[in-house]
Amino acid sequence: AQSVTQLGSHVSVSEGALVLLRCNYSSSVPPYLFWYVQYPNQGLQLLLKYTSAATLVKGINGFEAEFKKSETSFHLTKPSAHMSDAAEYFCAVRGQGAQKLVFGQGTRLTINP
Amino acid sequence: EAQVTQNPRYLITVTGKKLTVTCSQNMNHEYMSWYRQDPGLGLRQIYYSMNVEVTDKGDVPEGYKVSRKEKRNFPLILESPSPNQTSLYFCASSRPRTSGAYEQYFGPGTRLTVT
């Protein structure tokens, strides 16, 4: 069964600093990977997705993620944090031939002025 | 505008009083799903539906029912709510493709409190 682990339930960075949110998956074959963002009192919005076309994936709002098969990781980064990035971030995986999305525990990102 | 809508957005109820949370999508999606979100646990799937009249259990189905009589609607029913069903609920929909790289679209969420 697919599973996802997000390291760190809370991450705090200063405005302008690098954002790094970690995600590791378990799968015997490369799955489909997603990052979603949840702003306060809102639903989940897709940030980016890995489709096997490229290992470095660019998403909305300046975020990107790199698929590393050898490390079974799909970490999310942004070079310079903005106050508006404060939200909860979820990594999710879908296995080959599956419909179901399996979510990680979520990481709450706080931006300090 | 393509969207998934849920109603109500907020609900406070008492133990044992039956309730229904509605979900509707206007994208003609075949696949619909309900999740609950709890702190530290992420989103867990309650039930899903591959198409009209086709539903199946997810990871945490106990205490919930669903139906899919129309393609656009997928209501979540709690026949006898209990306090451990206090949670944030999300409905989602998608159009499955051969490649699994398709996104799910989420509703705004329903915050349910059962006292």
Side-chain angles (χ1 to χ4, degrees), chain A residues 1-6 23-27 31-36 44 90-96 98-106, chain B residues 31 33 35 41-45 58-59 100 102 104 106:
Chain A
Q2 306 288 334
S3 68
V4 173
T5 301
Q6 291 183 239
C23 172
N24 288 86
Y25 67 91
S26 69
S27 176
Y32 300 99
L33 293 156
F34 305 79
W35 275 99
Y36 281 84
L44 278 72
F90 292 94
C91 184
V93 62
R94 176 183 287 127
Q96 297 278 346
Q99 312 296 341
K100 179 181 175 180
L101 268 182
V102 176
F103 286 85
Q105 304 91 322
Chain B
Y31 186 87
S33 182
Y35 297 88
L41 298 177
L43 277 76
R44 294 177 293 167
Q45 190 180 55
D59 298 317
Y102 55 90
Q104 278 197 359
F106 285 81

Side-chain angles (χ1 to χ4, degrees), chain B residues 53-102:
Chain B
E53 302 291 3
V54 181
T55 63
D56 208 346
K57 297 177 181 179
D59 298 317
V60 288
E62 294 77 21
Y64 304 95
K65 285 177 56 177
V66 293
S67 69
R68 187 94 181 270
K69 293 181 169 46
E70 303 167 286
K71 196 171 187 179
R72 64 183 292 129
N73 297 325
F74 190 44
L76 179 70
I77 303 156
L78 285 72
E79 299 230 327
S80 184
S82 63
N84 64 12
Q85 293 178 297
T86 292
S87 187
L88 180 58
Y89 292 86
F90 288 102
C91 181
S93 74
S94 60
R95 172 168 292 131
R97 303 190 192 287
T98 305
S99 161
Y102 55 90

Side-chain angles (χ1 to χ4, degrees), chain A residues 19 39 48 51 55 61 63 72 86 106 110:
Chain A
V19 175
Y39 297 106
L48 50 81
T51 64
T55 57
N61 302 336
F63 284 92
T72 60
T110 301

